[in-house]
Tab-separated table of all heavy atoms in Angstrom:
chain	number	residue	atom	x	y	z
A	110	PHE	N	-22.952	22.913	13.413
A	110	PHE	CA	-23.946	23.860	13.916
A	110	PHE	C	-24.829	23.171	14.957
A	110	PHE	O	-25.083	23.720	16.041
A	110	PHE	CB	-24.794	24.395	12.764
A	110	PHE	CG	-25.883	25.332	13.211
A	110	PHE	CD1	-25.604	26.672	13.440
A	110	PHE	CD2	-27.178	24.878	13.420
A	110	PHE	CE1	-26.603	27.542	13.859
A	110	PHE	CE2	-28.181	25.740	13.840
A	110	PHE	CZ	-27.892	27.081	14.061
A	111	TYR	N	-25.286	21.967	14.636
A	111	TYR	CA	-26.146	21.239	15.578
A	111	TYR	C	-25.363	20.754	16.791
A	111	TYR	O	-25.884	20.744	17.912
A	111	TYR	CB	-26.811	20.058	14.868
A	111	TYR	CG	-27.972	20.458	14.002
A	111	TYR	CD1	-27.833	20.550	12.621
A	111	TYR	CD2	-29.215	20.755	14.558
A	111	TYR	CE1	-28.900	20.931	11.816
A	111	TYR	CE2	-30.285	21.142	13.776
A	111	TYR	CZ	-30.118	21.224	12.396
A	111	TYR	OH	-31.168	21.617	11.621
A	112	MET	N	-24.104	20.353	16.594
A	112	MET	CA	-23.298	19.894	17.729
A	112	MET	C	-23.023	21.033	18.699
A	112	MET	O	-23.057	20.853	19.918
A	112	MET	CB	-21.984	19.283	17.222
A	112	MET	CG	-22.149	17.902	16.613
A	112	MET	SD	-20.593	17.026	16.334
A	112	MET	CE	-20.004	17.834	14.867
A	113	ARG	N	-22.758	22.233	18.159
A	113	ARG	CA	-22.544	23.385	19.018
A	113	ARG	C	-23.815	23.731	19.794
A	113	ARG	O	-23.783	24.055	20.980
A	113	ARG	CB	-22.117	24.576	18.159
A	113	ARG	CG	-21.732	25.791	18.973
A	113	ARG	CD	-21.946	27.055	18.161
A	113	ARG	NE	-22.212	28.161	19.051
A	113	ARG	CZ	-23.396	28.426	19.594
A	113	ARG	NH1	-24.426	27.670	19.317
A	113	ARG	NH2	-23.564	29.430	20.425
A	114	ASP	N	-24.963	23.625	19.121
A	114	ASP	CA	-26.255	23.859	19.761
A	114	ASP	C	-26.472	22.852	20.892
A	114	ASP	O	-26.897	23.204	22.001
A	114	ASP	CB	-27.360	23.740	18.710
A	114	ASP	CG	-28.746	24.046	19.272
A	114	ASP	OD1	-28.833	24.454	20.434
A	114	ASP	OD2	-29.731	23.865	18.539
A	115	TYR	N	-26.176	21.592	20.620
A	115	TYR	CA	-26.362	20.530	21.618
A	115	TYR	C	-25.458	20.779	22.827
A	115	TYR	O	-25.893	20.657	23.980
A	115	TYR	CB	-26.055	19.178	20.975
A	115	TYR	CG	-26.344	17.991	21.862
A	115	TYR	CD1	-27.588	17.353	21.825
A	115	TYR	CD2	-25.374	17.494	22.738
A	115	TYR	CE1	-27.852	16.270	22.641
A	115	TYR	CE2	-25.638	16.408	23.553
A	115	TYR	CZ	-26.878	15.794	23.500
A	115	TYR	OH	-27.132	14.722	24.313
A	116	TRP	N	-24.207	21.131	22.555
A	116	TRP	CA	-23.278	21.396	23.653
A	116	TRP	C	-23.739	22.589	24.484
A	116	TRP	O	-23.700	22.561	25.714
A	116	TRP	CB	-21.870	21.643	23.108
A	116	TRP	CG	-20.909	22.080	24.159
A	116	TRP	CD1	-20.558	23.363	24.499
A	116	TRP	CD2	-20.196	21.235	25.067
A	116	TRP	NE1	-19.678	23.374	25.541
A	116	TRP	CE2	-19.436	22.083	25.910
A	116	TRP	CE3	-20.115	19.854	25.244
A	116	TRP	CZ2	-18.609	21.579	26.909
A	116	TRP	CZ3	-19.286	19.352	26.244
A	116	TRP	CH2	-18.551	20.210	27.068
A	117	ALA	N	-24.194	23.655	23.792
A	117	ALA	CA	-24.642	24.850	24.507
A	117	ALA	C	-25.872	24.571	25.360
A	117	ALA	O	-26.046	25.157	26.428
A	117	ALA	CB	-24.943	25.968	23.501
A	118	SER	N	-26.722	23.648	24.908
A	118	SER	CA	-27.967	23.363	25.615
A	118	SER	C	-27.797	22.390	26.770
A	118	SER	O	-28.423	22.535	27.823
A	118	SER	CB	-29.014	22.804	24.641
A	118	SER	OG	-29.301	23.730	23.614
A	119	PHE	N	-26.940	21.378	26.577
A	119	PHE	CA	-26.861	20.296	27.566
A	119	PHE	C	-25.483	20.131	28.206
A	119	PHE	O	-25.353	19.421	29.199
A	119	PHE	CB	-27.259	18.961	26.914
A	119	PHE	CG	-28.626	18.981	26.289
A	119	PHE	CD1	-28.774	19.026	24.917
A	119	PHE	CD2	-29.776	18.973	27.074
A	119	PHE	CE1	-30.028	19.058	24.332
A	119	PHE	CE2	-31.028	19.000	26.509
A	119	PHE	CZ	-31.166	19.050	25.123
A	120	GLY	N	-24.452	20.727	27.626
A	120	GLY	CA	-23.113	20.575	28.183
A	120	GLY	C	-22.584	19.167	28.068
A	120	GLY	O	-21.730	18.748	28.852
A	121	GLU	N	-23.091	18.412	27.080
A	121	GLU	CA	-22.662	17.026	26.875
A	121	GLU	C	-22.057	16.857	25.489
A	121	GLU	O	-22.405	17.587	24.548
A	121	GLU	CB	-23.857	16.061	27.015
A	121	GLU	CG	-24.508	16.079	28.380
A	121	GLU	CD	-25.735	15.184	28.430
A	121	GLU	OE1	-26.086	14.615	27.365
A	121	GLU	OE2	-26.340	15.067	29.503
A	122	SER	N	-21.176	15.898	25.369
A	122	SER	CA	-20.564	15.611	24.074
A	122	SER	C	-21.626	15.113	23.096
A	122	SER	O	-22.358	14.168	23.403
A	122	SER	CB	-19.464	14.550	24.231
A	122	SER	OG	-18.832	14.298	22.996
A	123	PRO	N	-21.747	15.713	21.913
A	123	PRO	CA	-22.792	15.327	20.950
A	123	PRO	C	-22.374	14.104	20.144
A	123	PRO	O	-22.191	14.166	18.920
A	123	PRO	CB	-22.901	16.576	20.069
A	123	PRO	CG	-21.524	17.146	20.078
A	123	PRO	CD	-20.960	16.870	21.453
A	124	THR	N	-22.257	12.979	20.815
A	124	THR	CA	-21.720	11.768	20.190
A	124	THR	C	-22.545	11.325	18.984
A	124	THR	O	-21.989	10.961	17.941
A	124	THR	CB	-21.653	10.628	21.222
A	124	THR	OG1	-20.894	11.056	22.352
A	124	THR	CG2	-20.994	9.394	20.612
A	125	PHE	N	-23.874	11.359	19.125
A	125	PHE	CA	-24.737	10.908	18.029
A	125	PHE	C	-24.508	11.749	16.777
A	125	PHE	O	-24.291	11.219	15.686
A	125	PHE	CB	-26.203	10.970	18.449
A	125	PHE	CG	-27.165	10.701	17.322
A	125	PHE	CD1	-27.394	9.402	16.894
A	125	PHE	CD2	-27.808	11.745	16.665
A	125	PHE	CE1	-28.267	9.144	15.840
A	125	PHE	CE2	-28.687	11.496	15.617
A	125	PHE	CZ	-28.910	10.190	15.205
A	126	PHE	N	-24.551	13.077	16.915
A	126	PHE	CA	-24.363	13.964	15.762
A	126	PHE	C	-22.975	13.787	15.150
A	126	PHE	O	-22.810	13.851	13.938
A	126	PHE	CB	-24.562	15.427	16.170
A	126	PHE	CG	-25.982	15.778	16.468
A	126	PHE	CD1	-26.378	16.105	17.753
A	126	PHE	CD2	-26.941	15.788	15.468
A	126	PHE	CE1	-27.692	16.435	18.042
A	126	PHE	CE2	-28.260	16.119	15.742
A	126	PHE	CZ	-28.639	16.434	17.028
A	127	ARG	N	-21.980	13.565	16.009
A	127	ARG	CA	-20.621	13.407	15.499
A	127	ARG	C	-20.503	12.150	14.638
A	127	ARG	O	-19.886	12.170	13.570
A	127	ARG	CB	-19.622	13.366	16.662
A	127	ARG	CG	-18.185	13.576	16.192
A	127	ARG	CD	-17.212	13.550	17.347
A	127	ARG	NE	-17.300	14.691	18.236
A	127	ARG	CZ	-16.824	15.894	17.950
A	127	ARG	NH1	-16.285	16.135	16.778
A	127	ARG	NH2	-16.900	16.864	18.836
A	128	TYR	N	-21.119	11.067	15.090
A	128	TYR	CA	-21.040	9.831	14.310
A	128	TYR	C	-21.850	9.931	13.017
A	128	TYR	O	-21.459	9.366	11.987
A	128	TYR	CB	-21.498	8.632	15.146
A	128	TYR	CG	-20.362	7.983	15.896
A	128	TYR	CD1	-20.077	8.319	17.225
A	128	TYR	CD2	-19.554	7.031	15.284
A	128	TYR	CE1	-19.028	7.734	17.907
A	128	TYR	CE2	-18.503	6.437	15.964
A	128	TYR	CZ	-18.242	6.793	17.275
A	128	TYR	OH	-17.193	6.217	17.945
A	129	VAL	N	-22.973	10.638	13.052
A	129	VAL	CA	-23.734	10.848	11.813
A	129	VAL	C	-22.881	11.624	10.819
A	129	VAL	O	-22.833	11.301	9.619
A	129	VAL	CB	-25.055	11.600	12.095
A	129	VAL	CG1	-25.737	11.964	10.775
A	129	VAL	CG2	-25.987	10.752	12.944
A	130	ASP	N	-22.188	12.636	11.310
A	130	ASP	CA	-21.270	13.408	10.464
A	130	ASP	C	-20.208	12.497	9.867
A	130	ASP	O	-19.960	12.508	8.652
A	130	ASP	CB	-20.630	14.513	11.309
A	130	ASP	CG	-19.516	15.245	10.572
A	130	ASP	OD1	-19.588	15.342	9.335
A	130	ASP	OD2	-18.582	15.727	11.241
A	131	TRP	N	-19.570	11.700	10.705
A	131	TRP	CA	-18.498	10.823	10.224
A	131	TRP	C	-18.999	9.779	9.233
A	131	TRP	O	-18.319	9.475	8.247
A	131	TRP	CB	-17.837	10.127	11.418
A	131	TRP	CG	-17.005	11.030	12.266
A	131	TRP	CD1	-16.534	12.274	11.944
A	131	TRP	CD2	-16.545	10.766	13.597
A	131	TRP	NE1	-15.812	12.798	12.986
A	131	TRP	CE2	-15.798	11.900	14.003
A	131	TRP	CE3	-16.686	9.692	14.469
A	131	TRP	CZ2	-15.193	11.976	15.264
A	131	TRP	CZ3	-16.090	9.770	15.722
A	131	TRP	CH2	-15.353	10.893	16.117
A	132	VAL	N	-20.189	9.220	9.485
A	132	VAL	CA	-20.726	8.194	8.582
A	132	VAL	C	-20.938	8.752	7.174
A	132	VAL	O	-20.855	8.026	6.181
A	132	VAL	CB	-22.041	7.609	9.150
A	132	VAL	CG1	-22.828	6.870	8.083
A	132	VAL	CG2	-21.738	6.673	10.321
Side-chain angles (χ1 to χ4, degrees):
F110 177 83
Y111 282 102
M112 285 192 283
R113 186 206 152 279
D114 183 6
Y115 186 92
W116 173 265
S118 300
F119 303 106
E121 298 176 357
S122 182
T124 305
F125 172 78
F126 289 113
R127 195 179 290 284
Y128 270 95
V129 173
D130 172 30
W131 289 344
V132 163

